Amino acid sequence: MAINKSKVAFGFIVAGSLTLIFGAISVIVGPTVISSQVVKNTVIDPKNDLTYTMWKDIPVPFFMSVYFFNVLNPAEILKGEKPMVEQRGPYVYRKQCQKENITFHPNGTVSYREYRQYHFEPSMSAGNESDVVTIPNMLVLGASVMMENLPYVLRLMMSATFKTFKEGAFLTKPVGELMWGYDSGLVDFLNQYLPGMIPTSGKFGLFSEFNNSNTGLFTVFTGKDDIRKVHRVDSWNGLTELPYWRTAQSNMINGTAGQMWPPFMTKESTLPFYSPDACRSMELVYQRPGEMYGIPLYRYVAPKTLFANGTDYAPNEGFCPCRQSGLLNVSTCRHNSPVFISHPHFFNADPVLLDYVQGLNPSEEKHGLFIDIHPQTGVPLNVSIRLQLNLYMKKVSGITETGKISDVVMPMIWFEENGYIDGPIVNTFRTNLVVLPTVLEYLQYILIGLGLATIIVATVVYHKVKAAQKEPVKGSHGLETKKKSISTSD
């Protein structure tokens, strides 16, 4: 049976056209399909195995590295000399977070409490929790500043109380006790006679409130009704605004809880989040693109205005009373204790702060904070949040323990909370959110190219076949001429 080449060629033209149309439709519809899958998988929903597990239990390694500023000249500081410090650490703790009391609400929100635990990691640390360091005594120096405007006789009484409990301006203790708490007769006394003055009723430590605690009752949007709202905080401890600051703008609870953000981010997007530990909302800004394990990312960093004072950056006036730029006064949410938060080593702060203390060397690489985000999903790939805790200390008349201390914002510790996506979850993440969309994108253009090539080749073949069919057979034409010649001669 003879094959009809023209019909075959025409069939290939039709097939090529269909392939081209399918490829063109894929180019138009493909991004929409991918976007719908991203939306489906980023909504906070127990059915979304990958993202829900990441949100609920944070399966990636997370660590807190703590650095102490060991005071080298406490006696000289009491005489009014400039403080000298040396950095000790890091003392590294594995951080475990788990959301509990998860409750979904009909209005498209979910509430939860996130509990955190810290476990010391000796192999990752530069020392042991038994290391002894000297830091300012917050109980003495903090209380002194808090009492400087009270009647002189009360200050004398407080000084006598310090002497009774043998408390001085500086504290020399093991790292573990300074971190998680130590027994103090002064703490017991203050809680009995001045309740509410200090934030703890048991052991006193810089992180005693952190371990085995939760960050409060968060209620966030699930994104079910509007994916642009996913992870955004609706309320915290029942509050939609904070009671700590001087302006409505400063008291706003903005952004997410600081773990994930809405998808489809651009370079113009920012990363707003609310931090209960800093008692305020903060916002990071885009710095540069990057890549991790072949996964594209955007790096976001703190703007220089984050801890600027109200003079240098007017919107921050609500966080005052302020000191130099680079310091956040958190006394209003820390029982009026003169505590300030800054970047480590006063990075991005007023240079005068470095002049007051010897031994500080700020750099962006070591002391700047950043979050690397996969922009299409809003999932962090690499996080490093670095903050420093400082105590404002000064001479207070009537309290002899303060000696002749100069007015200074004294760095005590700085810590870095860092984590990065790792292990099997990386492969799952890359396959679902990078490889498959890339394959689909290439497939679209392969189909278009294949369709065009098929149409062109089949069209050429089709026309050649048709042309060949129209051309008369050479032998037959010669025979017909010969017959005419014979007929004429007759």
Side-chain angles (χ1 to χ4, degrees), residues 66-185:
V66 181
Y67 299 82
F68 281 81
F69 290 104
N70 183 46
V71 180
L72 300 175
N73 61 338
E76 289 74 16
I77 294 172
L78 288 170
K79 295 176 184 177
E81 295 184 20
K82 183 182 293 188
M84 294 176 59
V85 298
E86 65 170 358
Q87 181 176 287
R88 299 278 294 276
Y91 299 94
V92 182
Y93 298 83
R94 179 181 289 270
K95 181 181 180 182
Q96 291 181 319
C97 296
Q98 186 172 8
K99 292 179 176 66
E100 296 184 7
N101 309 114
I102 298 173
T103 306
F104 287 87
H105 306 293
N107 66 343
T109 62
V110 57
S111 55
Y112 64 87
R113 291 183 183 272
E114 184 170 273
Y115 290 83
R116 51 193 176 181
Q117 289 185 328
Y118 296 89
H119 306 278
F120 185 59
E121 292 283 350
S123 63
M124 301 175 67
S125 303
N128 294 309
E129 286 191 306
S130 58
D131 293 351
V132 175
V133 296
T134 299
I135 63 171
N137 189 340
M138 286 184 67
L139 290 173
V140 171
L141 297 176
S144 298
V145 172
M146 292 165 66
M147 297 187 68
E148 68 173 327
N149 294 322
L150 294 181
Y152 186 75
V153 65
L154 291 179
R155 281 178 267 147
L156 288 175
M157 291 173 61
M158 181 56 74
S159 183
T161 302
F162 291 150
K163 291 178 176 62
T164 299
F165 291 100
K166 298 180 180 178
E167 295 277 359
F170 294 90
L171 201 59
T172 302
K173 285 189 174 293
V175 165
E177 292 187 20
L178 293 174
M179 284 287 297
W180 309 116
Y182 57 90
D183 293 315
S184 169

Side-chain angles (χ1 to χ4, degrees), residues 164-229:
T164 299
F165 291 100
K166 298 180 180 178
E167 295 277 359
F170 294 90
L171 201 59
T172 302
K173 285 189 174 293
V175 165
E177 292 187 20
L178 293 174
M179 284 287 297
W180 309 116
Y182 57 90
D183 293 315
S184 169
L186 178 60
V187 169
D188 296 335
F189 175 83
L190 292 175
N191 278 319
Q192 184 176 353
Y193 294 101
L194 295 170
M197 183 176 179
I198 56 177
T200 181
S201 56
K203 292 185 176 183
F204 183 79
L206 297 173
F207 285 84
S208 58
E209 290 182 82
F210 280 52
N211 213 1
N212 300 310
S213 66
N214 69 80
T215 54
L217 181 64
F218 273 94
T219 301
V220 303
F221 288 97
T222 63
K224 185 178 179 181
D225 299 324
D226 185 353
I227 198 61
R228 293 171 298 179
K229 289 184 176 182

Side-chain angles (χ1 to χ4, degrees), residues 138 145 307 319-332 334 336-343 346 353 387-393 408-413 415:
M138 286 184 67
V145 172
F307 295 141
F319 298 116
C320 293
C322 297
R323 298 190 64 80
Q324 294 88 351
S325 270
L327 299 171
L328 173 67
N329 185 348
V330 292
S331 60
T332 52
R334 290 289 182 267
N336 292 317
S337 179
V339 175
F340 291 81
I341 289 175
S342 69
H343 295 301
F346 295 131
L353 293 168
L387 294 172
Q388 180 170 296
L389 188 66
N390 310 280
L391 181 69
Y392 174 55
M393 58 187 200
V408 62
V409 178
M410 185 73 175
M412 298 178 65
I413 62 167
F415 59 94

